[in-house]
Amino acid sequence: AYSSSQITWMTLEPSRALLENNPNIDRIVDRWEEMSAILQTEHFDMAINPDANPQAARLFEMVSADEKFGMGWAKAGHVRACTEEAELWLRMGFFDDIKRANRETYQAIIHQICRLEMVDPKPSLHLTEDELHFAREYFQSLNLDRQRPVIGMNTGAGKRWAKKSGKLEQQVELVHLVKDKHPGWQILLLGGPEEVERNKILEKRCANLLTNTGLHPVRKFAALLGQTHVIITADTLALHIGLALGRQVVALFGPTSHVEIDLCASGEKLFAELECLGCYLNDCDQSPDCMDLITPEMVLAAVERRLDKADLA
């Protein structure tokens, strides 16, 4: 929409890696002192903050800009919506009934907040040649053959909504089910720092049936994920990286909204038909719960369907 624009993106340091090497971003700022200096000395034509995080909202109030879209900070000490389009998104964060009633994807909502027509909902991640080379070399060191299906299992989903993760016992069962039916498939365990112990347990309980890729910085993790044909994952970072890199995705949804995620025609969503789905709770006394009801057989069938659409090369 603004082809001659210069874009400055302010974020926290852990998120910087996801923005690096993106040709559409001119300047990434992840240090508070630099943010402060910019906000005190520069003027922008447009400022956008779709995040209801208080830190982001306070920064947004400090920006000098002709137009502002998204979330700001009220003088009374709370997040506020700066425009009508942002109001509904803010209300969704407060009220479960509004959240559950929503049928728009996150991408559509953010475009509405920015008053933009949506051209392509696909996430954007730009790996370097060095990162791609690392992944290819790493695969060769593991004696993996990309002429045969490579299935990536991202086993966790972080701490914020612990219930998003699939159950360990079900993941063990899934590995054995896959290898019994498709012994030629190659299974990779993927994850971040919070999945290290879980992946070690899976490696032990599924001895000689899979490969544990270990722990890597996020961009190398993304490069390895990009070498798979199908990714099995909960609603977490690996899902969005997989979509950005054009992988086939089998996405498992429970306490978070499956409606809001656009799989960009390269994925399949699995979820239980429960009234409480998308509760955004960390604790649940229902048994079986929403993640229990996504069986290993359902996951395997979805992987088989996605492999039909994958390029085995």
Side-chain angles (χ1 to χ4, degrees), residues 230-282:
V230 178
I231 301 157
I232 304 167
T233 181
D235 176 17
T236 189
L237 179 61
L239 165 60
H240 306 289
I241 290 175
L243 296 176
L245 299 180
R247 300 300 86 193
Q248 294 294 321
V249 174
V250 174
L252 283 58
F253 289 89
T256 56
S257 173
H258 63 89
V259 174
E260 287 177 13
I261 305 300
D262 189 332
L263 296 186
C264 310
S266 65
E268 183 169 338
K269 301 174 186 179
L270 297 180
F271 52 89
E273 296 290 348
L274 294 173
E275 289 187 5
C276 58
L277 200 68
C279 65
Y280 286 85
L281 297 176
N282 268 322

Side-chain angles (χ1 to χ4, degrees), residues 169-235:
E169 291 300 324
Q170 287 181 313
Q171 290 174 340
V172 171
E173 185 180 344
L174 175 60
V175 171
H176 285 275
L177 188 65
V178 167
K179 296 300 283 188
D180 285 345
K181 188 173 181 181
H182 302 286
W185 288 11
Q186 302 156 104
I187 302 174
L188 299 186
L189 292 184
L190 301 161
E194 293 162 1
E195 287 73 58
V196 169
E197 290 306 313
R198 173 183 285 234
N199 286 355
K200 286 181 179 178
I201 294 171
L202 279 164
E203 185 178 20
K204 183 176 181 180
R205 294 185 60 180
C206 303
N208 303 316
L209 298 180
L210 49 73
T211 300
N212 186 356
T213 61
L215 182 61
H216 300 275
V218 66
R219 291 186 67 88
K220 288 187 175 180
F221 166 81
L224 291 175
L225 190 150
Q227 289 289 304
T228 65
H229 296 113
V230 178
I231 301 157
I232 304 167
T233 181
D235 176 17

Side-chain angles (χ1 to χ4, degrees), residues 143-161:
N143 294 317
L144 293 169
D145 178 9
R146 291 197 79 255
Q147 301 301 314
R148 294 186 289 123
V150 179
I151 313 301
M153 285 182 61
N154 186 71
T155 58
K159 293 180 179 178
R160 186 174 182 185
W161 289 293

Side-chain angles (χ1 to χ4, degrees), residues 74-87:
K75 291 182 179 180
H78 58 80
V79 177
R80 69 181 184 93
C82 297
T83 58
E84 182 180 345
E85 292 88 350
E87 180 70 28

